[in-house]
Structures are given as structure tokens and as C-alpha cells.
Amino acid sequence: QTMGKGGPKKAKQKTAAPVAAASSSAAGGAFRSRAVGAVLLAAFAIGLQALLSSNAPSAEVPPHAPRGPPPACPADWPACPRTAGVDWAAADAAEAESDLSPAALSEGLRGCNATALLSPQRVPGMHAICILPPPAGEERAAATLVVYDSMRRAEGGREGGRVVSLLLPARLSDASHVAAAVLRRLGVRPRPRTPSGQYQPAALFTDRGVRVVSVEGLLSLASGSGAGTGHYGGGAARALLLEGGQWLWPPVEVGHAHELTDLVAPGVVTRVVTLSLKPLVVEVENFLDGGENGHIIERAKPHMAKSGVALKDADKGKAAKEFRTSSQYFLPTTRDPTLEKIDRRVSWLTRIPISHAEYIQVLKYNHLEHYSAHHDYFDPAAYASNQQMLRSVEHGAKNRLATVFFYLNSLVGEGEAPESGGGQTNFPRAATAAYPDGGPPVHDYFDCSRGLSVYPQEGKIIIFYSMLPNGEMDDYSLHGGCDVLFSNATKWSANFWLWNKPYHFVDPARRRATKELTEEWI
């Protein structure tokens, strides 16, 4: 990866024009008189300022800061977020005095219905939350939170995940402090800094991926006035906490569909369908129309060149064609209304700002061309000798989070078996009936017969996640591009790589799209 060049330039220092020297003693006396007057005027101004500021709020405590007692932390949480007026110890005491069991909160939990988002398998770093009113008459708390640890439901003899409850202190304003309180209850500690970066902090979202940045926004879900569809009546709502700080669609189960309106066109319902839980892969049909598919192909055609790879330490000296025989071109989306529209649509589908995306990589596979199984993330351990790579991924704190993969054409006609044309995207370690917890390690990286295969279909996209919701790399996201089997066929595809932190391909249109997305945050 190449980093942006240049940096802030120093501004030229401006110097005042020289003042002509006095040429006589009279001029010097006049100068001294003016200086004395200036000193008296300055003294008067300072006194007036002191008088006026005596009634102004202290600079250390801005007018909008919460008033009340100093922050208090529980004895077992000395590093609690310290905000004036917020008493964490009092909230803990209120919890101890209250019945927060699922049985006591059953009516609110039914209204919240967070269990509808749970999965048969653990989803590391993703937690469903029910937002309920505080206990009756309890002034020390603003809300009751019920947390479903790692989204796991009880099924097939397997126990479900833990369910923990806590009270949200009154006067809290920052949603990141809510996240810290939930992680404390779950026993999750913040990840330390790397040599060149900080891991993303945990973040709260509505169940449609709208980021929650304030406690007011979180509580607005329960009142029915917040964004998304987290409100279910009776003062109950649901939200999600993602430890890695970026949105991933809750998998629920294979075949589950999240429905989004007006994404592709006004009045059109887009279905985000889960294909795999491990790794997390979802599918969206008819995301692109025929004109958009053709536009991407025509823009890229004149520039296609043989694909390269970023060689790991263990593969240095090998040719790219040993892994990859396709052709590619990175297509900028700048100053192209069609591509800028796709930029925006990708961002609103993934709920990840487009400022986090690389340019579109357009791919062309001819007969028997392929890309062996690989990961899209960069494992710092595999690039230990590449200091530029380590800096670009902040030694693991920054990485590719999601791949949005476009199928720009189909290889088979209507009624033909898709496997007859090949060209599938294969996930050899995906969970199957034979391997419900994920497939075994791979030894043949060109074998497309295992795991999950997704075949080309014009206009369809898949999203697969290279990182888990907790911000760790997902080894099960291993995938490859399989051989095109028809001798006269060409597979055209493209992908966006979205990072968990801002990337450096940002232009005015992407800034506008990012601003539009972030303005929806609550």
C-alpha cells in the first residue's frame, strides 16, 4: 500500500513594516506622551475586563457542562469515565437494590425483542442490548440495559450466551461511556495501543446500523423518536454494541434477510440475505443495474493489466502468477456521477463511511484464470519485515474490514446450472453441515470444492467481512476466485475494500457522502 505524500506546509511569516525613527527631541517627547496615554488606557481596559468576567462562567467549566457532584467511580472500577454529575457508584448501588432479572423485566424484553437478532453461533464482539425504563421511582438511573453477550441464542442443546443487566447512571451524556459500562459488565478490557496506532473504540448502533453517539440518542430509541427501527413500543428499544467500533450486519442465521427501503431506488426494498455465519457473508441481488455494470466495465477496459499481489515474507521471490492470473485496474470514482452514486450506495448499505474505502478494483477473468485462496486483510505477523506495510496497518489496529464484491456479468444463461460456468467465489473454510463451526485448515489453495461457493449473477453483490465484530482478523474469511470453465467466456467483477479507519482516497464527492452519512448519527 502507498501512503499519501506531502504534509502541512509552513505559512510564510509576515513581518511588520519598519517604523521611521524620530528625527528631533520634540518628536521623542510627543512619542513618550502617547505611550503614557496608551498605558493608562490599557490599565483601564484590564480592570473593566476583570469586572465583567467576575460574573462569567469559569473557563474550566463550560456553560453546557453537567452540574452536580464530582464524578464518583466504584471501588472495582477506578478507571470509570469521569463526567461531572455522574455517580457510577450510586448506579451500582441502585442495581444491587433492584430486581433486574429477565423474569422481572419480561414485559419490556418482549417489547424490545432483541432475541430476534440472536444467532445459533457466538458472534465475537457483537452484543444485542435492550433499552428499558429504570426501576420505578429510581432517580439514580436513566435506563435499564439488558445485554445479550455475543448474540448467541440457546439452540440444539447448546446454551445461549450470558444475559447481564445494568443501570445507566443519570446525567450521562456520551454514548462511549455507555459502551465502557457494558464492556465492564461483560469483563472485556480495552485493547492496548500498538507501536503505531490505537484500536478503534467500541461503538453503539441502532439495529439498522445508525451510529449512536449520545445517551440522548440512545434513549430516543425507546421513546420512538430516534433513527432506524429500534423502537418497539412500551418504552423498550434495541441496539447493538460492536467492540471493533464499525458496523457489521447481524448474521442471525443462514437465510435471514434484513430489508432496507429506498437504497437502490425510491420504493424499492433491498434484501440483505445471510449466506454464511462463519465467515460472515451476506448477499444483495439487483444492487447494480445493467447500465452501471456496463459503465464500470467500459471505464476499466482500456486500463486492464495483469494482477499483482502483496507478497508475505514467506512468499518473497515468487511470481504473482503463482497465485493470481486475472487482470485488474483500480478505477477512481472521482468526477464520475455514476461511480459517485455507487460510492454513496455502498456506504449506506454497509453503514461504513466511504472515506474508509479504496477505489474500485475491477477484475477480469478469462478461461481457466483464477486467484488462489487468500485473505483480504494484512496480518502483521506475515509482513514482519515490511515496515511500510506495518505502518500502513498500524501494526494491526487498522485493516481491511469488509469487501463489497460486484458481479458485473453472468457466465450462464437462464435455466443453466451456475456451476457449469465456474467463476465462483469460494470460501473453503466456511461453516457447513459437516463442519458447523467452520472448516479445517486448507492445504490446497486452488481447490474450490469445499465450503461455500457464490456464483456470478449480473447485478448481484456479496459482502464478506475480513474482521470480526471485535476488531480481530477472521481467519475463516479465506476466499478465492475459481476458474472460468467456458472457453469463450469472460468474468467481469469488481470490489470495494472498506477499512475500519479512514483511508487516503478522499475527494470532494466522498467528503460529501461521508458528511451525509454522519449527519444521520444520533
Side-chain angles (χ1 to χ4, degrees), residues 432-454:
T432 60
Y435 297 101
D437 295 320
V442 170
H443 300 290
D444 182 354
Y445 289 86
F446 294 93
D447 180 7
C448 288
S449 66
R450 305 165 63 186
L452 169 72
S453 286
V454 184

Side-chain angles (χ1 to χ4, degrees), residues 333-406:
T333 58
T334 55
R335 294 183 293 277
D336 184 319
T338 298
L339 299 182
E340 289 173 356
K341 186 170 65 172
I342 294 171
D343 258 0
R344 180 189 180 279
R345 196 183 308 155
V346 165
S347 180
W348 281 75
L349 171 65
T350 60
R351 311 304 304 185
I352 301 170
I354 200 63
S355 57
H356 293 43
E358 299 180 43
Y359 286 146
I360 303 174
Q361 180 189 215
V362 183
L363 299 164
K364 176 185 175 185
Y365 290 83
N366 290 321
H367 181 226
L368 297 183
E369 290 187 333
H370 54 260
Y371 191 176
S372 63
H374 61 283
H375 294 105
D376 280 353
Y377 62 69
F378 299 101
D379 183 354
Y383 295 91
S385 67
N386 188 334
Q387 292 303 309
Q388 181 183 358
M389 177 68 77
L390 292 177
R391 286 192 298 271
S392 70
V393 299
E394 298 179 4
H395 288 77
K398 179 179 179 180
N399 225 316
R400 287 174 176 164
L401 165 66
T403 301
V404 181
F405 196 88
F406 300 173

Side-chain angles (χ1 to χ4, degrees), residues 283-302:
E283 163 184 273
V284 179
E285 293 187 355
N286 302 314
F287 184 78
L288 300 174
D289 63 35
E292 291 168 334
N293 295 324
H295 182 77
I296 293 173
I297 293 171
E298 291 307 313
R299 280 287 315 272
K301 259 184 181 179

Side-chain angles (χ1 to χ4, degrees), residues 450-503:
R450 305 165 63 186
L452 169 72
S453 286
V454 184
Y455 289 87
Q457 178 185 327
E458 184 174 339
K460 180 174 77 176
I461 68 166
I462 58 173
I463 307 171
F464 55 92
Y465 293 91
S466 296
M467 299 174 76
L468 297 166
N470 63 7
E472 295 179 0
M473 296 173 293
D474 185 0
D475 193 45
Y476 290 88
S477 67
L478 187 76
H479 63 282
C482 304
D483 287 342
V484 173
L485 299 181
F486 292 151
S487 60
N488 60 346
T490 297
K491 170 190 167 185
W492 286 94
S493 56
N495 66 267
F496 275 86
W497 279 311
L498 293 157
W499 291 63
N500 66 330
K501 290 186 177 186
Y503 203 66

Side-chain angles (χ1 to χ4, degrees), residues 36-337:
V36 170
V39 169
L40 292 174
L41 182 60
F44 174 77
I46 291 171
L48 180 61
Q49 179 65 32
L51 179 64
L52 292 174
S53 62
S54 63
N55 295 320
S58 168
E60 286 76 19
V61 184
H64 60 271
R67 301 289 178 176
C73 289
D76 64 342
W77 196 22
C80 77
R82 296 178 180 271
T83 304
V86 175
D87 193 335
W88 293 96
D92 276 7
E95 282 180 32
E97 298 165 12
S98 305
D99 184 359
L100 302 181
S101 65
L105 302 173
S106 59
E107 183 178 351
L109 294 178
R110 281 194 299 271
C112 161
N113 197 27
T115 53
L117 295 176
L118 304 186
S119 292
Q121 294 183 344
R122 182 172 174 268
V123 185
M126 182 182 289
H127 314 285
I129 300 176
C130 275
I131 308 157
L132 308 176
E138 182 53 74
E139 296 182 354
R140 293 170 290 182
T144 303
L145 303 185
V146 179
V147 185
Y148 295 86
D149 183 12
S150 302
M151 308 293 286
R152 185 167 179 172
R153 68 176 184 237
E155 183 172 290
R158 290 184 173 183
E159 281 190 22
R162 288 181 299 159
V163 180
V164 300
S165 302
L166 65 149
L167 292 181
L168 199 61
R171 306 179 67 84
L172 199 62
S173 59
D174 190 334
S176 69
H177 297 169
V178 178
V182 171
L183 295 179
R184 172 208 178 197
R185 281 285 180 263
L186 295 175
V188 177
R189 296 189 176 187
R191 301 178 76 178
R193 285 186 60 88
T194 72
S196 57
Q198 178 66 54
Y199 286 96
Q200 289 274 284
L204 290 159
F205 298 86
T206 73
D207 61 3
R208 285 293 182 268
V210 177
R211 187 180 289 264
V212 179
V213 294
S214 70
V215 173
E216 180 183 5
L218 184 69
L219 299 182
S220 73
L221 298 176
S223 68
S225 60
T229 57
H231 176 63
Y232 295 91
R238 67 190 186 196
L240 289 104
L241 174 67
L242 282 88
E243 293 176 23
Q246 292 294 347
W247 176 253
L248 289 77
W249 282 103
V252 186
E253 60 191 8
V254 173
H256 178 83
H258 299 279
E259 294 189 345
L260 310 175
T261 56
D262 304 328
L263 176 69
V264 173
V268 174
V269 176
T270 299
R271 302 177 76 245
V272 183
V273 181
T274 301
L275 297 182
S276 169
L277 278 69
K278 194 171 189 176
L280 177 52
V281 184
V282 299
E283 163 184 273
V284 179
E285 293 187 355
N286 302 314
F287 184 78
L288 300 174
D289 63 35
E292 291 168 334
N293 295 324
H295 182 77
I296 293 173
I297 293 171
E298 291 307 313
R299 280 287 315 272
K301 259 184 181 179
H303 309 284
M304 301 302 291
K306 279 299 180 182
S307 302
V309 293
L311 291 173
K312 299 177 182 179
D313 290 352
D315 296 322
K316 284 186 176 180
K318 296 180 181 179
K321 65 182 180 181
E322 294 186 39
F323 310 94
R324 190 178 191 186
T325 55
S326 60
S327 300
Q328 70 176 44
Y329 173 61
F330 279 94
L331 176 61
T333 58
T334 55
R335 294 183 293 277
D336 184 319

